[in-house]
Amino acid sequence: MALLRTKLRKLVNEKSITTDYTMTLLNKTIEGIEKVSIDPDGNIKNRFDKLAIPAGSLGRLEEFATIYASIKGTPDATIKHKVVFTMAGDHGVSSEGVSVFPQEVTRQMVKNFLNGGATVSILARHVGARVVVVDCGVKADFMPVDGLKIKKVAYGTGNIACGPAMSREQAIKSLEVGIDVFNEEFMNGMDIIATGDMGIANTTPSSAIIACLTGADLSKVTGRGTGLNDNGVKNKINVIKTALDINKPDHSDPIDVLSKVGGFEIGGIAGLCLAAASHKTPVVIDGFISTAAALIACAIEPKVNDYLISSHTSTENGHEIALEKLQKKAILNLGLRLGEGTGAVLAMGIIEASVKTFTQMATFTDAEVSTPCSKKQFAAK
Amino acid sequence: MALLRTKLRKLVNEKSITTDYTMTLLNKTIEGIEKVSIDPDGNIKNRFDKLAIPAGSLGRLEEFATIYASIKGTPDATIKHKVVFTMAGDHGVSSEGVSVFPQEVTRQMVKNFLNGGATVSILARHVGARVVVVDCGVKADFMPVDGLKIKKVAYGTGNIACGPAMSREQAIKSLEVGIDVFNEEFMNGMDIIATGDMGIANTTPSSAIIACLTGADLSKVTGRGTGLNDNGVKNKINVIKTALDINKPDHSDPIDVLSKVGGFEIGGIAGLCLAAASHKTPVVIDGFISTAAALIACAIEPKVNDYLISSHTSTENGHEIALEKLQKKAILNLGLRLGEGTGAVLAMGIIEASVKTFTQMATFTDAEVSTPCSKKQFAAK
């Protein structure tokens, strides 16, 4: 505990001027995170053994149901409320030609999410999840509407090729945006959440973060984003290299990394992870950007990792390296690279399916199905 | 056409004594199958290009939506009715110790499906699919109830370690059971189907079929089934070897293979594939047993393959070899090995998601989202 407090002081106090409120919310959230024991008393395994299926035949569905029940602390936990948070923010670095889309697309897509015409809107309806769109720092103003939370830290980050993305205060604030929106929505019912992002150029800060926190070479963690050609990728690598050289993020300090080369929506997603963990709520991590955010959350508090489930392997170069650092094996591998929370929402449907099989399936006894006993000499242990 | 007739004569007439009805149903079904042209006029690709997402960012969801629309012949095709057929049958070879479960489990599980307590029942409810359970040849009688089609070819197959599984007439009849139940259900609405199986010991005939139709070594396509240990697998390989030696199935004649070493539910699933193809209905193939059946259907009429979508890669040894023969890449890889249609139902949910994204997503124009044009020098072709 003393160690945790020292760490928090380092993270929050020493390098920043923050209000009491700010310190309290982030610190309180981090302090509330407990490690997850997987099936500590064997109750989950015991129930699986009684279900009318061959042992182990559900494969990873058993793994997902076990993680879910372990996080919730009971084999009877079901999933009623599913929420996907699509966190939006703009990036000054978009002026460096690192995306094939113009910056105004961030604002336009936020409207598309709210109108229900975007991919994440459609997939969320498909799996029965609520979509909560959060303006973490879009370079435009929105009228308040249902489904949108306006929590703007600033009108876009600074251009990381010229200076820091944001101040340390803003980095903490962006984390707290995620904590805030989680806490607000938690009261409306929330059993599991999915993360998503929208921010033109945000694979660039994500690559920078992943390079910082995994130690991987930039060329291994920088990809085509929304559709760069080979020259575009070369330019992007140079831009990130410049950003790292100029800003010198401290690899051992995740809030410094976030402030120097991050993004407001990335901080927001990291905050969601922290808040969800503090409320014993599983977090389904989307693709490249969400995984970069998850790395920040886990660097702030490693216990967060116990609450994270990786949804899919993105085709964005470097995603697998980031997943490896988190020691996660994704649920889906469908060649997605869209963001928004699309992969996470699809995977949330699979996790829900696994929880249903575990909680609803008849046992051998209930269904009057014979157990595998008649051919013991050939039965695997 | 003349070639097709010759082939049909070989398949149905020359080696069997069949009724006119029998000949008509199978032949008519096969004759009704047309090749699928993938997006012949480019309409599907054109619509994808207009959707408000980066080109190609949906990955395989684009592939699934394209296959679905191509089979249906229109980009506007939606999915309303989803059906999973769980085909049940018993196997004489179960007396050879090739399964750790006793034979009566087939009957018991049929009841479990009908009571809604089995995994496939739960997953079908999860994705909104109807379950149709078919008694293709269970060694027990059932009372007629909703959701069960009693189409028993016989009370279980013969023990293939001693002689043929069934007569050629019965093999044709089992194919026609699949065609029959498809045709009956088609009238209740059916846009896409999933296949499933239940039959204690049915990985044994499936391995035999896969060995026959792929040419793979038995050790490469024989697995643990519901939980054999190493000695059990050795025994199983020996049993299959004996079955192939005794029955000498003609590899070039899929109906001979089905009759010598197959199963009634396997024939039923192959029949479903034929019928679905003849009605331009996509078929989501479950795991090991369903893939063995799909190999038979494709050997009877190769055009069937255009209608098949592989749902998941089973951990059963040899499934990947069978998928390779069909040139299919599965949607999911979750370590499942349960059968019943469980993997197919889950994948059907993903396919439906892909069709919804394609048919419901806003275009760049609708959503007033800027297209990727401002940084042309870095845009991939």
Side-chain angles (χ1 to χ4, degrees):
Chain A
M1 204 58 193
L3 191 68
L4 179 63
R5 286 216 191 85
T6 310
K7 188 176 171 189
L8 288 176
R9 260 200 305 279
K10 178 174 187 303
L11 287 173
V12 180
N13 300 350
E14 288 171 5
K15 297 191 183 178
S16 66
I17 305 156
T18 55
T19 67
D20 280 347
Y21 170 75
T22 296
M23 288 176 52
T24 306
L25 182 60
L26 180 56
N27 291 3
K28 206 179 116 188
T29 303
I30 297 169
E31 283 199 17
I33 299 171
E34 295 174 11
K35 254 200 95 52
V36 177
S37 277
I38 296 294
D39 195 16
D41 44 17
N43 286 343
I44 300 169
K45 176 73 168 56
N46 279 347
R47 186 188 288 184
F48 264 115
D49 287 346
K50 290 176 186 157
L51 299 180
I53 47 169
S57 60
L58 282 180
R60 295 196 70 199
L61 295 192
E62 182 168 335
E63 171 195 333
F64 309 145
T66 300
I67 291 170
Y68 187 80
S70 298
I71 290 174
K72 296 290 181 179
T74 166
D76 298 319
T78 57
I79 296 180
K80 192 172 171 193
H81 299 285
K82 303 183 290 294
V83 180
V84 54
F85 288 91
T86 302
M87 312 294 272
D90 269 313
H91 297 266
V93 74
S94 67
S95 64
E96 301 290 335
V98 290
S99 173
V100 299
F101 282 91
Q103 192 172 45
E104 62 259 30
V105 168
T106 306
R107 172 183 59 78
Q108 294 164 342
M109 283 302 296
V110 165
K111 291 191 173 173
N112 197 17
F113 299 142
L114 296 169
N115 290 333
T119 311
V120 72
S121 327
I122 296 160
L123 295 179
R125 283 197 298 273
H126 179 63
V127 305
R130 301 202 296 279
V131 181
V132 175
V133 183
V134 183
D135 172 8
C136 303
V138 181
K139 199 176 172 180
D141 283 310
F142 297 101
M143 296 294 290
V145 288
D146 273 358
L148 174 66
K149 288 179 183 289
I150 301 174
K151 304 275 181 178
K152 201 186 294 290
V153 180
Y155 289 86
T157 56
N159 180 352
I160 58 175
C162 307
M166 62 188 90
S167 67
R168 190 169 181 92
E169 293 78 8
Q170 286 177 321
I172 292 168
K173 179 73 195 145
S174 74
L175 291 164
E176 292 187 331
V177 163
I179 297 171
D180 258 344
V181 296
F182 181 93
N183 290 346
E184 287 169 21
E185 278 300 311
F186 193 68
M187 295 188 278
N188 297 328
M190 203 150 65
D191 300 311
I192 183 169
I193 71 165
T195 67
D197 70 283
M198 181 67 225
I200 291 305
N202 67 3
T203 56
T204 296
S206 299
S207 291
I209 290 167
I210 292 169
C212 281
L213 297 181
T214 67
D217 190 83
L218 266 185
S219 65
K220 303 281 190 204
V221 295
T222 307
R224 298 184 185 280
T226 48
L228 292 174
N229 61 20
D230 288 348
N231 282 335
V233 174
K234 270 183 210 159
N235 171 63
K236 188 171 165 183
I237 291 173
N238 286 335
V239 167
I240 300 173
K241 198 176 174 311
T242 304
L244 295 175
D245 288 348
I246 287 179
N247 293 297
K248 298 187 176 39
D250 175 358
H251 300 200
S252 69
D253 177 357
I255 295 181
D256 192 60
V257 173
L258 175 61
S259 67
K260 298 289 179 53
V261 296
F264 296 130
E265 81 281 32
I266 297 173
I269 294 168
L272 279 174
C273 296
L274 295 167
S278 79
H279 281 89
K280 301 197 186 306
T281 303
V283 185
V284 189
I285 296 296
D286 197 36
F288 195 70
I289 287 92
S290 285
T291 307
L295 284 172
I296 288 181
C298 290
I300 291 175
E301 174 45 70
K303 290 198 288 272
V304 168
N305 198 21
D306 295 354
Y307 297 85
L308 306 183
I309 302 172
S310 166
S311 62
H312 79 108
T313 307
S314 165
T315 53
E316 185 71 1
N317 186 28
H319 190 219
E320 293 188 60
I321 289 173
L323 287 178
E324 210 170 286
K325 176 76 178 177
L326 291 173
Q327 298 184 285
K328 299 288 175 191
K329 185 177 166 195
I331 296 175
L332 300 169
N333 189 348
L334 297 172
L336 294 170
R337 54 175 173 79
L338 178 55
E340 300 182 3
T342 47
V345 166
L346 274 182
M348 196 153 60
I350 303 281
I351 295 165
E352 187 178 16
S354 71
V355 172
K356 285 181 179 173
T357 57
F358 178 56
T359 55
Q360 298 178 12
M361 203 192 311
T363 61
F364 282 108
T365 310
D366 293 342
E368 296 177 351
V369 171
S370 307
T371 49
C373 53
S374 59
K375 308 286 174 189
K376 269 184 185 161
Q377 73 273 28
F378 289 144
K381 296 292 175 209
Chain B
M1 203 57 194
L3 191 67
L4 178 64
R5 286 216 192 83
T6 311
K7 187 176 172 190
L8 289 177
R9 260 199 306 278
K10 177 173 186 307
L11 288 173
V12 181
N13 301 351
E14 288 171 5
K15 297 193 184 178
S16 66
I17 306 154
T18 56
T19 66
D20 280 347
Y21 170 76
T22 296
M23 287 177 53
T24 305
L25 183 60
L26 180 57
N27 291 2
K28 206 178 116 188
T29 303
I30 298 170
E31 283 200 15
I33 300 171
E34 295 175 11
K35 254 200 96 51
V36 177
S37 277
I38 296 294
D39 194 16
D41 44 18
N43 285 343
I44 299 169
K45 176 73 167 59
N46 278 347
R47 186 188 287 185
F48 264 114
D49 287 346
K50 289 177 187 157
L51 298 180
I53 47 168
S57 60
L58 282 181
R60 295 195 69 199
L61 295 191
E62 182 167 337
E63 171 195 332
F64 309 144
T66 299
I67 290 170
Y68 187 80
S70 298
I71 289 173
K72 296 290 180 178
T74 165
D76 297 320
T78 56
I79 296 181
K80 193 172 170 192
H81 298 285
K82 304 183 290 293
V83 180
V84 54
F85 289 92
T86 301
M87 313 293 272
D90 268 314
H91 298 268
V93 75
S94 67
S95 64
E96 300 290 337
V98 291
S99 172
V100 297
F101 282 91
Q103 191 170 44
E104 62 260 29
V105 168
T106 307
R107 171 184 60 78
Q108 294 164 341
M109 283 302 296
V110 165
K111 291 194 173 172
N112 198 16
F113 299 143
L114 296 169
N115 290 334
T119 311
V120 72
S121 326
I122 296 161
L123 295 179
R125 285 198 298 273
H126 179 63
V127 307
R130 298 201 298 277
V131 181
V132 176
V133 184
V134 184
D135 173 7
C136 302
V138 181
K139 198 175 174 181
D141 283 310
F142 297 100
M143 297 294 290
V145 287
D146 274 359
L148 174 66
K149 288 177 182 288
I150 301 173
K151 303 274 181 178
K152 201 186 295 290
V153 179
Y155 288 85
T157 56
N159 180 353
I160 59 174
C162 307
M166 63 188 90
S167 67
R168 191 170 181 91
E169 292 79 8
Q170 287 177 319
I172 292 167
K173 180 70 194 148
S174 73
L175 291 164
E176 291 187 331
V177 164
I179 298 170
D180 258 344
V181 295
F182 181 93
N183 291 346
E184 288 170 20
E185 278 300 311
F186 193 69
M187 295 188 278
N188 297 328
M190 204 151 63
D191 299 311
I192 182 167
I193 71 164
T195 67
D197 71 284
M198 181 66 224
I200 292 304
N202 69 2
T203 56
T204 295
S206 299
S207 291
I209 290 167
I210 292 170
C212 280
L213 298 181
T214 67
D217 190 83
L218 266 185
S219 65
K220 304 280 190 206
V221 295
T222 307
R224 299 185 185 279
T226 47
L228 292 174
N229 60 19
D230 288 349
N231 283 335
V233 173
K234 271 183 208 158
N235 171 64
K236 187 171 164 182
I237 291 172
N238 286 335
V239 168
I240 300 171
K241 198 175 173 311
T242 304
L244 295 174
D245 287 349
I246 287 179
N247 293 298
K248 298 187 176 39
D250 175 356
H251 299 198
S252 69
D253 177 357
I255 295 181
D256 191 60
V257 173
L258 176 62
S259 66
K260 299 288 180 53
V261 296
F264 297 130
E265 80 282 32
I266 297 173
I269 294 169
L272 279 173
C273 296
L274 295 166
S278 78
H279 282 90
K280 302 197 185 306
T281 302
V283 185
V284 189
I285 296 295
D286 197 35
F288 195 69
I289 287 92
S290 285
T291 307
L295 283 171
I296 288 181
C298 290
I300 292 174
E301 174 46 70
K303 292 198 287 271
V304 168
N305 197 22
D306 295 355
Y307 297 85
L308 306 183
I309 302 172
S310 166
S311 62
H312 79 108
T313 307
S314 166
T315 53
E316 185 70 3
N317 187 29
H319 190 218
E320 293 187 60
I321 289 173
L323 287 179
E324 210 171 286
K325 177 77 178 179
L326 290 173
Q327 297 184 286
K328 299 287 175 191
K329 185 179 167 192
I331 296 176
L332 299 169
N333 189 348
L334 296 172
L336 294 170
R337 53 175 175 79
L338 178 56
E340 302 182 3
T342 48
V345 166
L346 273 183
M348 196 154 60
I350 303 281
I351 295 165
E352 186 178 16
S354 72
V355 172
K356 284 181 179 173
T357 58
F358 179 56
T359 55
Q360 297 178 13
M361 204 192 309
T363 61
F364 283 109
T365 311
D366 294 341
E368 297 179 348
V369 171
S370 307
T371 50
C373 53
S374 59
K375 310 282 175 189
K376 270 183 184 161
Q377 73 274 27
F378 288 144
K381 295 292 174 210

